[in-house]
């Protein structure tokens, strides 16, 4: 089979939501010739996707070490190895800093810092003889500001830095490690927000290219980082149309934009 | 269907078959682009351009009229301009205490003023949006002794890239830089002749091998293609050396 990922095996975690970023990445990988394992917590959704793309479905709870290691083992058993691994899991909690509880923070830490750490711990022994490419979906907010998002942003930033240490320590084994930082992306997770009049208008102003991102943009970035022609490692690639140059709107700017759109509708 | 089918690309700094510019031209043509190759001496690029079905143009990046003429040549010959890549560069060594104003100005003319004028004239010729890529350097990311004028002018150009990306996004033009690590090319051939130098550098590369001009070309291809929703960025192709350091001259033994 031709394609930029022909003869590669890939694992995409976080693909159990209909139409989510992980699913778009998995479909694109399959279209580029990879054999793909898709993982997450909703087996029925994963089974449908796996059947569609000729891949395999694997269960994983990313907050549980044993589950992460079992997922990697099951993927190796099914595909014979893992050349490419993408972590597209995440928990987009929006909560004021002072109201964020220890339980919130612990869950965020488990999903967005400990989980990625353990995922890489499970992957290195699998990739150490063959080399490979690990791609983490980070966030522009690991660098730029957004309100009421501290636990999310802090763990994303921590994971980016953890991955640099992995790139530094395991590069000699032919293992490349990079992350991709999307901005606001059109996904099922943001569909509800996008339906609020004026809300996305406030965000779009932050994009020099005049639109916010899509999961296809992120999948294209994943193909590039995953393919053998990429010689990058330890990078946080900003795939956000230049959002990083301008920044997200403040809470007040969003509220003003929504209010203006509402009054225009009346 | 190639990844650059229907695109016209200008590549400046392609006067040697071993250069990043020539490798990029070959890769772009494989992906369906039509190429305009440029260097200070037109005769130096004519043969490489002819082999690839493109045209060769003489261009001195320190001369604004010459840069404008390069963009015009692409539009006149191929009917448009969609991708422009700038590898024009020249290294210059001097310590901070020895550097002359003349050296600083000359390096700025090539890397800072030249890059800014390249972006200006290529963007003016891009009628339907496009992608501009310019070479930055590992020396911007990790300090190398005696390369202050070079690194400083390259670093200034990277800031200019971000400003340009912010301004030109509305025209559908993306602007990025690409920072090659210590890459074997026509420009670095002398360094590669000294094993003590290459050994010292190799120790600082997590990926355990030198970047090649083909690695740089494939990165330029990614940034040039419509799939890259990326602008205002410096993309590091240093084999991970940006995570470490540049060896000191006393280690070259």
């Amino acid at each position: 089979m031709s394609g930029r990922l022909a003869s590669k095996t890939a694992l995409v975690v976080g693909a159990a939501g209909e139409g989510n970023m992980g699913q778009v990445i998995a479909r694109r990988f399959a279209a580029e010739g990879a054999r793909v394992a898709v993982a997450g917590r909703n087996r029925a959704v994963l089974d449908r996707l796996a059947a569609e793309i000729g891949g395999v479905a694997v269960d994983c709870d990313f907050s549980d070490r044993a589950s992460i290691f079992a997922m990697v083992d099951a993927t190796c058993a099914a595909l014979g190895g893992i050349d490419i691994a993408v972590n597209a899991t995440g928990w987009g909690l929006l909560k004021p800093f002072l109201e964020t509880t220890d339980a919130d923070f612990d869950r965020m830490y488990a999903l967005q810092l400990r989980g990625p750490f353990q995922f890489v711990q499970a992957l290195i022994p699998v990739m150490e003889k063959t080399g490979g490419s690990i791609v983490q979906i980070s966030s522009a907010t690991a660098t730029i500001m957004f309100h009421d998002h501290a636990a999310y942003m802090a763990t994303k930033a921590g994971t980016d830095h953890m991955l640099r240490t992995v790139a530094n320590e395991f590069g000699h084994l032919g293992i490349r490690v990079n992350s991709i930082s999307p901005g606001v992306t059109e996904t099922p997770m943001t569909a509800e927000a996008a339906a609020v009049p004026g809300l996305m208008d406030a965000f779009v102003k932050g994009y020099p290219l005049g639109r916010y991102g899509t999961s296809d943009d992120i999948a294209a970035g994943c193909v590039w980082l995953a393919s053998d022609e990429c010689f990058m490692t330890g990078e946080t690639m900003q795939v956000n149309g230049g959002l990083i140059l301008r920044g997200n709107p403040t809470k007040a700017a969003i509220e003003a934009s929504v209010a203006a759109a509402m009054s225009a509708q009346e | 269907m190639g990844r650059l089918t229907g695109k016209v690309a200008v590549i400046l700094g392609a006067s040697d078959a071993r250069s990043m510019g020539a490798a990029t031209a070959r890769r772009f043509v494989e992906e369906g682009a039509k190429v305009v190759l440029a260097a200070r001496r037109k005769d130096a690029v004519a043969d490489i351009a002819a082999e690839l079905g493109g045209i060769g143009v003489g261009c001195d990046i320190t001369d604004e009229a010459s840069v404008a003429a390069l963009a015009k040549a692409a539009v006149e010959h191929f009917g448009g301009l969609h991708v422009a890549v700038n590898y024009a560069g020249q290294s210059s060594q001097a310590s901070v205490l020895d550097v002359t104003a003349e050296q600083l100005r000359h390096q700025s003319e090539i890397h800072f003023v030249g890059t800014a004028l390249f972006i200006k004239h290529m963007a003016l010729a891009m009628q339907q949006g496009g992608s501009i890529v310019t070479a930055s350097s590992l020396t911007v990311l990790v300090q190398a002794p005696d390369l202050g004028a070079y690194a400083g002018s390259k670093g200034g150009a990277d800031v200019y890239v971000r400003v340009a990306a912010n301004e030109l996004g509305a025209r559908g033009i993306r602007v990025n830089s690409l920072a090659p690590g210590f890459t074997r090319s026509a420009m670095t051939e002398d360094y590669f002749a000294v094993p003590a130098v290459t050994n010292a550098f190799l120790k600082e590369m997590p990926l355990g091998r030198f970047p090649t001009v083909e690695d740089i070309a494939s990165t330029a291809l990614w940034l040039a293609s419509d799939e890259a929703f990326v602008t205002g960025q410096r993309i590091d192709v240093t084999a991970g050396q940006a995570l470490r350091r540049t060896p000191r001259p006393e280690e070259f033994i």
Side-chain angles (χ1 to χ4, degrees):
Chain A
M1 182 150 182
S2 67
R4 289 161 63 191
L5 303 179
S7 80
K8 296 288 185 192
T9 54
L11 166 60
V12 180
V13 196
E18 290 290 1
N20 75 4
M21 196 180 281
Q23 293 213 335
V24 175
I25 293 165
R27 287 193 179 98
R28 179 72 200 275
F29 278 8
E32 293 291 349
R35 286 184 301 134
V36 185
V38 289
R41 280 178 301 180
N42 188 328
R43 189 55 188 257
V45 175
L46 293 170
D47 281 337
R48 276 201 299 279
L49 177 63
E52 177 198 322
I53 64 174
V56 296
V58 184
D59 296 307
C60 182
D61 173 355
F62 217 63
S63 66
D64 176 41
R65 178 185 180 89
S67 179
I68 290 170
F69 276 73
M71 164 185 67
V72 167
D73 284 348
T75 303
C76 285
L79 302 180
I82 303 173
D83 300 312
I84 300 159
V86 178
N87 173 31
T89 63
W91 181 35
L93 178 70
L94 282 174
K95 204 168 194 181
F97 184 82
L98 295 177
E99 293 168 26
T100 301
T101 64
D102 288 354
D104 291 331
F105 192 84
D106 287 347
R107 178 167 153 74
M108 188 65 79
Y109 158 75
L111 287 169
Q112 294 207 155
L113 184 52
R114 193 183 66 197
F117 194 103
Q118 292 168 338
F119 185 41
V120 175
Q121 286 183 319
L123 287 167
I124 297 292
V126 173
M127 292 182 166
E128 69 181 352
K129 291 205 171 59
T130 54
S133 174
I134 299 172
V135 181
Q136 161 74 23
I137 305 302
S138 178
S139 168
T141 62
T143 307
I144 60 173
M145 292 300 108
F146 196 60
H147 60 84
D148 298 345
H149 211 30
Y152 177 94
M153 291 160 64
T155 48
K156 287 287 191 188
T159 292
D160 283 347
H161 205 52
M162 176 270 288
L163 292 174
R164 280 179 210 117
T165 72
V166 176
N168 186 38
E169 291 181 35
F170 298 99
H172 65 285
L173 301 175
I175 300 172
R176 295 183 300 102
V177 189
N178 296 282
S179 64
I180 287 183
S181 298
V184 173
T185 307
E186 211 177 303
T187 63
M189 199 167 87
T190 57
E192 202 178 317
V196 177
L199 196 144
M200 297 314 268
D201 297 340
F203 283 92
V204 161
K205 289 178 186 153
Y207 290 77
L209 292 178
R211 67 167 178 91
Y212 50 90
T214 65
S215 293
D216 289 330
D217 297 326
I218 306 309
C222 288
V223 170
W224 156 243
L225 290 175
S227 72
D228 283 338
E229 62 171 19
C230 177
F231 194 55
M232 290 164 60
T233 198
E235 280 291 289
T236 301
M237 193 167 72
Q238 303 291 334
V239 184
N240 51 48
L243 169 68
I244 205 85
L245 306 168
R246 293 191 182 173
N248 283 310
T250 60
K251 195 172 188 172
I254 294 170
E255 284 165 0
S257 181
V258 171
M262 293 287 198
S263 69
Q265 278 188 348
E266 279 162 11
Chain B
M1 181 94 176
R3 287 158 68 191
L4 297 179
T5 297
K7 307 273 191 203
V8 177
V10 159
I11 300 162
L12 174 58
S15 63
D16 189 297
R18 301 162 300 170
S19 67
M20 293 174 187
T24 301
R26 289 191 290 270
R27 191 77 183 88
F28 280 16
V29 168
E30 275 173 21
E31 294 292 343
K34 294 188 168 63
V35 292
V36 177
L37 303 192
R40 265 176 299 174
R41 285 177 27 245
K42 182 180 174 178
D43 58 329
V45 283
D47 288 349
I48 298 171
E51 277 169 34
L52 295 169
I55 59 166
V57 177
C59 177
D60 176 354
I61 198 168
T62 64
D63 173 8
E64 180 165 13
S66 169
V67 176
L70 171 59
K72 196 167 168 227
V75 174
E76 281 179 356
H77 196 84
F78 289 120
L81 179 63
H82 311 93
V83 176
V85 184
N86 169 37
Y87 292 115
Q90 193 182 314
S91 86
S92 164
Q93 297 201 6
S95 75
V96 166
L97 298 181
D98 294 333
V99 74
T100 64
E102 191 189 356
Q103 267 178 307
L104 289 162
R105 289 198 186 99
H106 185 60
Q107 286 288 297
S108 300
E109 283 290 328
I110 298 170
H111 300 127
F112 181 73
V113 180
T115 300
L117 294 175
F118 183 83
I119 292 169
K120 173 183 171 181
H121 288 285
M122 298 303 140
L124 284 169
M126 289 176 172
Q127 293 300 313
Q128 290 128 18
S131 173
I132 300 172
V133 180
T134 186
S136 177
S137 166
L138 170 70
T139 61
V140 174
L141 297 157
V142 284
Q143 276 53 256
D146 298 343
L147 285 172
Y150 179 82
S153 56
K154 287 276 190 186
D158 283 345
V159 174
Y160 201 88
V161 160
R162 289 198 279 280
V163 173
N166 191 33
E167 284 185 33
L168 298 174
R171 298 167 72 107
I173 297 171
R174 296 180 295 104
V175 190
N176 294 285
S177 69
L178 176 168
F182 192 44
T183 307
R184 186 173 203 140
S185 71
M187 193 170 104
T188 57
E189 205 61 17
D190 291 348
Y191 295 105
F192 274 85
V194 187
V197 172
T198 53
N199 289 341
F201 267 88
L202 210 47
K203 284 181 198 158
E204 308 299 343
M205 292 184 188
L207 289 180
R209 73 160 173 87
F210 294 98
T212 64
V213 292
E214 287 77 19
D215 295 324
I216 307 307
S218 61
T219 309
L221 170 63
W222 152 246
L223 290 172
S225 75
D226 287 336
E227 346 185 88
F229 189 53
V230 176
T231 196
Q233 297 303 300
R234 177 183 51 229
I235 302 294
D236 159 356
V237 197
T238 66
Q241 193 177 346
L243 300 165
R244 295 188 183 172
R245 61 195 273 277
T246 304
R248 304 267 322 159
E250 56 266 31
E251 295 168 51
F252 300 157
I253 46 166

